[in-house]
Amino acid sequence: MALRWWWRCPPPPAPGAAVCHFTQRSSTFSFPKICNIFWRFHHTSMSHLCSCSKTASDEKYQDPFQLGRKDLKNLYEDIKKELLVSTVELKEMCDYYFDGKGKAFRPMIVVLMARACNIHHNNSREVQASQRSVAIIAEMIHTASLVHDDVIDDANSRRGKMTVNQIWGERKAVLAGDFILSAASLALARIGNTTIISVLTQVIEDLVRGEFLQLGSKENENERFAHYLEKTFKKTASLIANSCKAVSILGCPDPKVHEIAYQYGKNVGIAFQLIDDVLDFTSCADHLGKPAAADLKLGLATGPVLFACRQFPEMNAMIMRRFSKPGDVERARKYVLQSDGVQQTTYLAQRYCHEATREISKLRPSPEREALIQLTEMVLMRDK
Amino acid sequence: MWGSLLRRGARGAGCLRGVASGGPPWSQVVSEAEKIVGYPTSFMSLRCLLSDELSNIAMQVRKLVGTKHPLLDTARGFVYDSRNNLQMRGLVVLLISKAAGPSTAELSFQHNMVSGIYSSQRSLAEITELIHTAFLVHRGIVNIGELKSCDGPLKDMQFGNKMAVLSGDFLLANACTSLAQLQNTKVVELISSAIGDLVQGIYYENSKSSEENCLTDDIGISTWKEHVFLSHSALLAKSCQAAMELAKHSAEIQDMAFQYGKHMSMSHKLHSDLQPFVKESSSDTMAFSLNSAPAVLHQEFLGREAWIKQIREAQGKGNKMDYKKLQEAIKAGKGVTSAIDLCRCHGSRALAALERFPPSEARAALANIVYAVTRFP
C-alpha cells in the first residue's frame, strides 16, 4: 500500500515579515540565538488561518518521504501481521487506525534516523530489520495510546473517522488499546536486545505519566509553562526521542550519536506538539479530522492559551477552572486569537526545530540527514 | 503416582475439611504458603500505593463514592480482599520459584537469593500481580452509550471511565518497566504474550456477559476451556514458566511450571464456577453465569434445543430469570458431576507437573493449593 503524502507545504511567506519579541520566562529549556533562516517561517500559521483549501506543495521542497518510502512500504500490512487475534471483531478494532491514512510521521522519522546513523557509522545504506521493527513498534505504541486517549477524553472523531470507542463502546476500545500495546511489546521482545527494550519501555511509562500531568494544573504561571512543556515531552516527544535513540543504538555503537538522535527526536517532538496545539486554534474541524478547540473543551490550557494569558490576565481564572463555565471556551478562543499566543507558540516551535537541526547537523552529511532537517521545516509548515 | 505428594499434603488435609463447616481453607493455605516464601506477597500494593500517581487516583476515586461506577468496587476489593484472591498469582510464582530452587547453571548467582528465591523472581511475582490488577481495573470500564437513567449522571460515569483507563494503564506501564529491568528478552516475550492472551480472554468474557436476554452462545466445553485458559490461566502459566527461565532452568522444567500454572488455575476457575451448585445450604440461591462450566457441560449432555427450552421455562413470566429453578434443572443433570470430574482432572495434571520438582515445603504448599481447589463437600 502506498503511503499517503502526509502534509502540505504552503509557499513560504515573504522574509522578514515581522520580528517577534519573545521572552520566555520558563528557565527549564534554554536555547541559543535562533538562526535567520527560521524567521521566514514566522507567521506562517497565521497565513493559513482556517484555510481548508489544499495548497499545492512547493516544488522546491523535495519529498523526504522518498528516502524512507522503500523501508515503509507495507508498513501497515506488517503492523497488521503483528496483531494476531482470533476474533474477527477484535481484529477489526485493532486494525482500525492502521488503514494507511495516518501521517506515518513517526515511522518516517525513525527510518530516516536509522539510515542517517548507519551512514554516519559505516556508510551502510541499508536499514536493519531490527531498526524497521522499531519504526513499526513506535507506530503501534502511538496508536495504542490514541485509542486509550479517546476513551479518556470521550472523543468522537479522529482522522476524519469515528473513534474506536464511538463505534464499539468503551469496554472493547480499552481492550483493543491493551492488545495493540501487548503486540508492540511482543515485537519489541523479539528484537532480542534488552537495551532496546528498556529504551522503548520508557516511552510507555512517559505516556502514562504525561496523561497524569494533564490531569493537574499549576497555579503559578511559570510553573504552569514548565508543567506544559514536561507534559508535551512525555505525551509526544518521548516516543520520537526514544525511538530515534533505539535505532541509533542498533546502528552505531557511539553513545554521542545516541544522544544526538535522542535530542533531535525530543526537539522535533516538542515542536510537533506545539504546532498541533496551534492548529487546534487556527485550523477548522473538517481539515483536522477532529473537532477544533478540542483542547479547550477538555479543559486544557496549551501553549497559545498560556501565552495569551500574559496579555489577558483575566484568562487566569478560566484556566484554573479548566474552562468549565458556559462561554469559557468561546471567550478563551477569542482571547487567544486576539493575542499573539499563536505566533509565540509557533516561534517557540521554531526554536525547538532549530535545536533539532543543530543536533542532527553533528552527524556525517547524507541525503537522509538533509531530509531530517527538511522534516523540521515541514513540522512548522504543516496545516493539519 | 503422586504418593509422596499426597503424603506431604496430608498435613494440610485437616483444614481442608473445613469447607463444609465454618471458614474456607483457602486463607489458611495462603497464609502458610506466604511463610514459606519469606514475606507476604502484598508488597505490590505498598510500592504502587505510595506513588504520586496512584494517590492522585485515590483522591479522584473518592469523587466516585455514591455513583455506580464499577471502579469503586474494584478499588474496594483491592483494599479489603487483598488477603484472598488478589495476590494468589504472585504467591504461586514465588512458591514455584522456590520449589525449583537454583539451577546448576546458575549456582554462581545464589547469593542473590532470599529465602531461596531470586530477586528477579520476586519482581516477576510483583509484575504478575500488577498485570492481573490492571485488568481487574480495565474490566470495569462501562459503555457510555449503553447507560440507562438509573445508572446516575453521565458525567460521573465518564469520570469513572477516565480514572479506570488511567489507573489500569499506570499499573500496566509499571509492569512493563519492571519487566524491562529483568533484562531477559525471553521473559518479556512470554509476559507480553500473556497480556495478549488475557485481553482476548476478557474480550470473550465481555461478549458473553453483554447478552441481556440470558441466552448463551452455543459453545461446547472445549471452546469454554480455550476461553478460560486465555482469561484465567495464561498469565499464571506463562509467569511460572518465566520464573524458571529467570533461574535458567531447562526447557523441561519450564514446561512443567507452565503446566502447573495452567492446570491449577483451570481447576481454580472450575471450583469457583461450581460453588453455586455444591453449597450445602440451599436457602439462598447464588446467581450464576450461564457460561459457567456446569451450565456449559449441562448443555452438552442435554443438547442445545432442550437447554434453551429450560432457560425459557426458568425465565417464565416477566423475563426475570428464576435461578433457583434453573439451578435445580442443572443439578438434576450430569453437568455438575462432570464439572467436578474436570476440576479434579486438571488438579491431577497440576500435581503430575509438580512431580518433576524435588520434594520441599514449597512443593507441598503448591500441592495444598491444588487440594484446596479440588475439594468439594
Side-chain angles (χ1 to χ4, degrees):
Chain A
M1 183 193 303
L3 283 159
R4 218 174 51 112
W5 173 236
W6 83 120
W7 51 45
R8 322 242 163 220
C9 305
V19 177
C20 179
H21 302 286
F22 180 79
T23 48
Q24 195 204 343
R25 275 185 266 167
S26 159
S27 55
T28 30
F29 292 74
S30 60
F31 300 90
K33 274 206 153 156
I34 74 154
C35 177
N36 268 333
I37 183 176
F38 281 95
W39 286 18
R40 66 194 170 101
F41 298 119
H42 193 55
H43 276 190
T44 49
S45 56
M46 295 305 285
S47 71
H48 50 270
L49 248 176
C50 228
S51 64
C52 291
S53 62
K54 287 178 178 153
T55 341
S57 42
D58 195 314
E59 286 298 315
K60 162 175 169 227
Y61 288 88
Q62 208 207 350
D63 177 1
F65 232 162
Q66 201 57 50
L67 286 160
R69 190 169 278 152
K70 195 181 75 182
D71 310 313
L72 295 182
K73 212 179 135 210
N74 300 326
L75 174 83
Y76 291 110
E77 271 68 28
D78 291 343
I79 290 176
K80 287 182 198 163
K81 278 182 210 149
E82 297 287 342
L83 298 164
L84 291 171
V85 221
S86 48
T87 40
V88 178
E89 190 187 41
L90 188 56
K91 176 72 179 147
E92 203 183 321
M93 288 160 67
C94 290
D95 287 354
Y96 186 66
Y97 285 130
F98 302 113
D99 56 358
K101 294 193 177 124
K103 293 191 282 266
F105 171 65
R106 290 158 187 83
M108 189 66 204
I109 292 189
V110 173
V111 292
L112 287 175
M113 180 60 80
R115 286 174 162 275
C117 291
N118 296 353
I119 289 168
H120 179 84
H121 177 52
N122 56 8
N123 238 339
S124 153
R125 302 220 149 250
E126 289 304 307
V127 169
Q128 299 164 27
S130 57
Q131 291 175 319
R132 189 170 181 278
S133 293
V134 172
I136 282 177
I137 292 161
E139 188 68 1
M140 289 170 81
I141 293 176
H142 170 62
T143 305
S145 83
L146 290 185
V147 174
H148 279 196
D149 282 359
D150 286 345
V151 177
I152 291 171
D153 300 340
D154 203 27
N156 301 320
S157 61
R158 168 175 302 279
R159 295 179 186 165
K161 312 194 340 180
M162 280 165 91
T163 55
V164 174
N165 45 299
Q166 194 68 18
I167 300 176
W168 286 281
E170 285 74 11
R171 289 176 73 93
K172 287 179 179 173
V174 168
L175 291 178
D178 288 338
F179 190 83
I180 297 169
L181 187 69
S182 75
S185 180
L186 198 56
L188 180 56
R190 287 186 179 143
I191 292 178
N193 181 320
T194 55
T195 310
I196 303 301
I197 292 177
S198 297
V199 169
L200 289 181
T201 300
Q202 184 63 47
V203 175
I204 297 170
E205 192 171 328
D206 284 342
L207 282 171
V208 177
R209 290 192 189 270
E211 201 61 49
F212 272 93
L213 286 175
Q214 198 160 290
L215 283 182
S217 45
K218 292 272 187 270
E219 198 113 17
N220 176 295
E221 209 181 303
N222 286 332
E223 269 182 51
R224 208 186 270 157
F225 208 89
H227 189 262
Y228 166 67
L229 286 178
E230 193 189 348
K231 183 214 84 184
T232 302
F233 169 75
K234 293 205 157 132
K235 279 204 70 179
T236 310
S238 171
L239 174 66
I240 303 172
N242 283 300
S243 346
C244 282
K245 185 177 171 183
V247 289
S248 75
I249 292 170
L250 291 165
C252 171
D254 182 359
K256 282 196 217 95
V257 172
H258 308 160
E259 186 59 19
I260 292 167
Y262 180 86
Q263 289 300 334
Y264 173 85
K266 175 182 138 179
N267 283 287
V268 166
I270 294 176
F272 181 85
Q273 187 58 49
L274 289 171
I275 295 299
D276 218 51
D277 294 345
V278 163
L279 290 174
D280 199 44
F281 286 95
T282 60
S283 210
C284 57
D286 289 353
H287 201 48
L288 285 177
K290 60 183 177 190
D295 293 332
L296 286 178
K297 288 171 194 156
L298 290 171
L300 303 178
T302 57
V305 176
L306 296 177
F307 280 117
C309 183
R310 291 178 180 178
Q311 271 170 282
F312 301 101
E314 50 270 51
M315 290 181 80
N316 258 313
M318 282 193 260
I319 293 175
M320 289 317 290
R321 62 174 179 256
R322 300 181 79 97
F323 314 103
S324 55
K325 274 200 183 162
D328 274 0
V329 169
E330 291 71 27
R331 264 192 302 152
R333 189 173 147 84
K334 241 169 82 190
Y335 277 132
V336 167
L337 294 176
Q338 275 172 29
S339 75
D340 62 358
V342 162
Q343 292 97 308
Q344 295 276 25
T345 311
T346 311
Y347 184 73
L348 184 59
Q350 285 169 15
R351 302 226 300 186
Y352 278 103
C353 280
H354 173 67
E355 186 61 16
T357 303
R358 202 178 67 82
E359 287 288 344
I360 200 70
S361 301
K362 296 174 188 169
L363 293 186
R364 182 193 294 211
S366 65
E368 285 79 3
R369 192 191 78 171
E370 293 319 302
L372 285 169
I373 292 172
Q374 230 180 78
L375 204 135
T376 66
E377 297 177 14
M378 295 169 66
V379 163
L380 297 171
M381 305 285 266
R382 76 201 178 97
D383 61 356
K384 65 184 286 184
Chain B
M1 187 175 176
W2 311 300
S4 63
L5 286 170
L6 286 169
R7 250 173 281 118
R8 289 199 145 255
R11 249 188 306 149
C15 67
L16 290 182
R17 272 185 215 106
V19 176
S21 63
W26 185 254
S27 55
Q28 201 173 332
V29 172
V30 169
S31 67
E32 280 179 5
E34 281 187 339
K35 283 178 211 146
I36 296 169
V37 295
Y39 44 84
T41 36
S42 36
F43 43 64
M44 170 205 116
S45 17
L46 250 165
R47 200 200 300 176
C48 262
L49 288 175
L50 288 177
S51 70
D52 280 355
E53 280 81 2
L54 268 204
S55 34
N56 193 342
I57 287 274
M59 293 288 287
Q60 309 268 7
V61 167
R62 278 162 56 181
K63 290 189 204 157
L64 289 175
V65 173
T67 72
K68 291 189 173 157
H69 200 280
L71 178 61
L72 210 60
D73 284 330
T74 314
R76 252 186 227 124
F78 191 57
V79 177
Y80 294 117
D81 210 34
S82 59
R83 298 294 298 171
N84 295 317
N85 279 333
L86 274 170
Q87 312 277 325
M88 189 268 279
R89 287 147 200 90
L91 181 61
V92 168
V93 171
L94 293 177
L95 285 171
I96 204 141
S97 300
K98 182 157 185 171
S103 73
T104 40
E106 283 287 281
L107 279 176
S108 55
F109 291 108
Q110 273 190 55
H111 58 269
N112 275 339
M113 289 181 127
V114 176
S115 304
I117 299 162
Y118 291 111
S119 62
S120 60
Q121 292 170 321
R122 287 191 190 271
S123 286
L124 180 67
E126 192 177 310
I127 291 163
T128 310
E129 284 300 336
L130 279 172
I131 294 169
H132 174 71
T133 313
F135 281 99
L136 280 184
V137 174
H138 276 179
R139 270 175 164 113
I141 306 272
V142 294
N143 283 335
I144 299 293
E146 290 164 17
L147 292 175
K148 301 184 189 84
S149 54
C150 61
D151 291 317
L154 187 69
K155 252 196 135 83
D156 289 344
M157 297 312 256
Q158 282 172 336
F159 182 72
N161 267 1
K162 185 172 173 161
M163 289 302 122
V165 177
L166 269 174
S167 43
D169 283 353
F170 175 75
L171 295 169
L172 267 185
N174 269 278
C176 288
T177 305
S178 305
L179 200 53
Q181 282 162 359
L182 295 178
Q183 303 269 318
N184 183 317
T185 58
K186 175 92 189 289
V187 170
V188 177
E189 195 175 331
L190 272 169
I191 302 299
S192 305
S193 79
I195 297 174
D197 292 343
L198 196 47
V199 174
Q200 295 187 67
I202 297 170
Y203 175 85
Y204 286 124
E205 217 173 62
N206 275 353
S207 53
K208 282 178 226 147
S209 62
S210 65
E211 294 281 318
E212 278 286 329
N213 59 4
C214 286
L215 228 174
T216 53
D217 288 345
D218 190 7
I219 60 162
I221 194 69
S222 61
T223 311
W224 182 90
K225 279 161 84 173
E226 274 170 39
H227 292 181
V228 167
F229 172 73
L230 293 171
S231 59
H232 286 78
S233 297
L235 177 62
L236 186 59
K238 289 179 178 176
S239 289
C240 286
Q241 184 184 348
M244 301 300 101
E245 162 66 24
L246 284 172
K248 295 275 168 280
H249 282 293
S250 67
E252 197 214 345
I253 289 287
Q254 288 190 26
D255 185 46
M256 289 304 125
F258 177 95
Q259 298 299 333
Y260 174 82
K262 173 183 168 177
H263 292 296
M264 190 282 282
S265 40
M266 292 297 284
S267 24
H268 184 249
K269 168 68 174 153
L270 281 154
H271 189 259
S272 71
D273 272 11
L274 275 159
Q275 287 315 299
F277 300 93
V278 295
K279 276 265 161 64
E280 284 190 337
S281 59
S282 53
S283 54
D284 55 331
T285 310
M286 291 157 91
F288 57 91
S289 160
L290 295 184
N291 288 292
S292 65
V296 170
L297 284 161
H298 178 70
Q299 182 195 298
E300 280 211 333
F301 286 114
L302 205 64
R304 178 79 173 162
E305 302 261 297
W307 173 228
I308 290 176
K309 196 161 158 267
Q310 281 186 339
I311 294 177
R312 294 261 181 266
E313 278 165 18
Q315 254 166 338
K317 41 214 171 286
N319 249 349
K320 184 97 174 77
M321 181 70 81
D322 182 353
Y323 278 101
K324 178 99 182 142
K325 192 171 175 184
L326 203 56
Q327 194 187 64
E328 291 309 322
I330 293 172
K331 275 178 163 175
K334 281 186 268 179
V336 175
T337 47
S338 60
I340 291 175
D341 288 345
L342 189 60
C343 178
R344 292 198 167 128
C345 166
H346 281 291
S348 306
R349 293 175 74 179
L351 291 174
L354 283 182
E355 277 283 298
R356 303 292 305 151
F357 294 83
S360 69
E361 245 187 336
R363 189 180 82 165
L366 288 167
N368 279 341
I369 290 175
V370 175
Y371 301 134
V373 296
T374 49
R375 195 52 76 105
F376 296 96

